[in-house]
Amino acid sequence: MEAILVVNAGSSSVKFQVFAVEGTASLKLLVKGEFDGIGSRPRLRARRADSSPLIDQTYTPEAVPDVGIALRTAGAWLRETQNFELIAVGHRVVHGGPQYDRPIQVDQKVVENLARYIPLAPLHQPNNLAPIRTLLERFPTMPQIACFDTAFHRGHSPVADHFGIPQSLYAEGVRRYGFHGLSYEYVAGRLPEIAPEIAKGRVIIAHLGSGASMCAVSNGQSVESTMGFTALDGLPMGTRPGQLDPGIVLYLLTEKAMSPQEAQDFLYQKCGLRGLSGVSNDVRELLESSDPGASLALNYFTYRVGLHAGMLAAALGGLDAFIFTAGIGERSAEMRARIVEKLVWFGAELDPAANAAGKSKISSEASRIALYVVPTDEELMIARHTLAVLRNSSARNFAGARTA
């Protein structure tokens, strides 16, 4: 059975899924797993598509100290216990820079190019590239496909794409990229099936998790995003501040005497909900806390979602629907209700019973804009792109052989 492995690597975890390839374009989930606690409390868990367990095993920190070793360990378990023929590996890569606007098969030169964007995504890019390097070393003939979170936004207009800086910097790649594109692409692709009446309309998709952003989508295409040059911009996140006056960065460097590295660590690790609350970066813990800081952090989060919704609606020239996705958006009825309160001026009206029950459509019949919850599936999107690149490559090779 031919199969595709999808790898989504973070700083201390590796999520993976295995999809069987059926026919020319059909994919079927076989295995879904995660290796978390890498370097501290490593734990490998996996289950079948029907959620029945396959493995739940812990390791010592010394046995699995980094993402590369975790991938090797998970890969060895897959080879020893699962009966499939791996034909390719698809990877989530957060930043494609100005060079990569679509999925691409990876070689050493591509990895070197992508490493240039590590300063623009220091929490993600190094860990996205680590398993690619490991597999290139161990299985150099295995096709690996990089799928970029920035690619979905690359159709933005020049006005949306620029900062108010000299064109020479834009030419170097200093521009607004937008992120979470694999999630937005998946959700936008689901709308014709779930809600055909809005699929071609003016839609805001809110990817709300530890990392959070929002995207303005018109006729299934991204036209604007809350994130820009890096994944620091836009909404406040678990540990990142979101939209920030650049003068604050200058203040950190000059008045607080931070080094560039210290400022980077501060902005990526100590701000956002964690910094505001002084309690936690986890929305679940903040909702349960009676600490005034927790209340401030949650109020700030919902306030900024409301503000950015207005900005994105302006980019769209109106609004037909607002879609919740990702961890907070999919699982927290309370946060959805709080956010909808900030959308009342659009004519949004929540159906409390549908929201509490976790229904797909959560707007009332009287609501002037549709409200939906659409679970995202970045891994399936990566698998689809990986299969498409493989098929296109095979078609080109076949055509070349015929004309040779």
Side-chain angles (χ1 to χ4, degrees):
M1 179 193 309
E2 292 188 336
I4 289 171
L5 171 65
V6 171
V7 177
N8 189 343
S11 59
S12 61
S13 68
V14 177
K15 296 178 183 178
F16 61 91
Q17 293 187 24
V18 179
F19 294 86
V21 179
E22 299 181 328
T24 59
S26 180
L27 294 163
K28 178 183 178 182
L29 178 65
L30 297 176
V31 178
K32 184 173 185 177
E34 181 174 10
F35 215 136
D36 59 14
I38 297 168
S40 57
R41 292 183 293 178
R43 183 182 182 186
L44 172 60
R45 288 174 289 178
R47 62 185 186 272
R48 298 179 181 88
D50 64 5
S51 296
S52 60
L54 286 167
I55 187 174
D56 189 342
Q57 184 172 336
T58 58
Y59 301 80
T60 65
E62 296 76 21
V64 187
D66 56 42
V67 168
I69 298 298
L71 184 65
R72 292 182 188 182
T73 305
W77 171 78
L78 284 169
R79 289 192 301 275
E80 292 166 6
T81 64
Q82 305 303 304
N83 184 26
F84 54 77
E85 177 191 354
L86 197 63
I87 61 170
V89 183
H91 299 266
R92 177 196 179 202
V93 178
V94 164
H95 215 305
Q99 190 169 358
Y100 300 110
D101 62 355
R102 67 199 64 192
I104 186 172
Q105 186 164 336
V106 177
D107 56 23
Q108 195 59 50
K109 182 173 178 56
V110 171
V111 172
E112 291 171 3
N113 289 338
L114 293 174
R116 294 163 46 203
Y117 309 125
I118 287 175
L120 307 187
L123 288 186
H124 303 90
Q125 200 83 347
N127 300 304
N128 298 156
L129 298 181
I132 296 176
R133 289 188 170 113
T134 296
L135 290 170
L136 278 174
E137 178 184 335
R138 293 174 61 85
F139 305 101
T141 61
M142 174 65 68
Q144 296 191 74
I145 311 302
C147 303
F148 303 103
D149 262 339
T150 48
F152 184 63
H153 306 291
R154 290 299 301 276
H156 288 182
S157 70
V159 170
D161 216 19
H162 277 71
F163 292 106
I165 56 176
Q167 286 283 0
S168 58
L169 285 170
Y170 180 86
E172 291 177 18
V174 183
R175 60 187 71 175
R176 296 184 60 85
Y177 290 100
F179 298 89
H180 294 132
L182 291 163
S183 175
Y184 293 130
E185 184 179 8
Y186 177 82
V187 173
R190 289 279 286 138
L191 289 182
E193 178 183 345
I194 295 172
E197 72 279 8
I198 62 167
K200 294 185 177 182
R202 301 163 298 181
V203 178
I204 293 174
I205 306 174
H207 179 104
L208 306 179
S210 180
S213 70
M214 293 159 61
C215 179
V217 174
S218 177
N219 196 22
Q221 304 297 313
S222 172
V223 299
E224 183 59 271
S225 171
T226 57
M227 280 184 169
F229 182 53
T230 71
L232 284 172
D233 200 8
L235 301 178
M237 290 162 264
T239 61
R240 287 170 271 170
Q243 187 178 33
L244 197 69
D245 183 335
I248 295 175
V249 180
L250 299 177
Y251 181 84
L252 296 176
L253 297 175
T254 58
E255 301 303 315
K256 304 301 289 185
M258 286 187 182
S259 68
Q261 185 61 53
E262 288 172 333
Q264 176 176 286
D265 291 344
F266 175 77
L267 293 170
Y268 276 97
Q269 302 283 3
K270 298 178 181 178
C271 295
L273 300 181
R274 174 181 290 172
L276 276 170
S277 70
V279 174
S280 175
N281 63 302
D282 192 315
V283 165
R284 293 166 296 187
E285 294 180 16
L286 296 177
L287 286 168
E288 294 172 357
S289 175
S290 60
D291 191 290
S295 178
L296 171 65
L298 293 174
N299 289 339
Y300 181 79
F301 182 80
T302 56
Y303 175 70
R304 302 304 296 189
V305 170
L307 285 182
H308 281 86
M311 176 192 78
L312 296 179
L316 289 166
L319 187 62
D320 299 310
F322 189 97
I323 313 295
F324 293 92
T325 195
I328 299 168
E330 293 173 26
R331 302 188 189 108
S332 179
E334 182 171 347
M335 290 303 293
R336 291 195 297 264
R338 290 186 181 206
I339 289 168
V340 173
E341 288 179 2
K342 302 298 181 184
L343 307 178
V344 169
W345 66 281
F346 286 118
E349 184 176 307
L350 190 69
D351 180 333
N355 183 47
K359 300 290 188 182
S360 178
K361 186 174 184 179
I362 59 172
S363 51
S364 73
E365 292 299 322
S367 183
R368 292 204 298 272
I369 65 168
L371 304 170
Y372 279 88
V373 180
V374 180
T376 191
D377 195 336
E378 294 166 308
E379 286 77 17
L380 178 56
M381 199 72 246
I382 293 167
R384 288 173 177 170
H385 282 310
T386 300
L387 183 59
V389 172
L390 287 179
R391 296 299 185 236
N392 289 339
S393 176
S394 297
R396 287 196 299 271
N397 291 339
F398 178 72
R402 289 188 65 182
T403 57

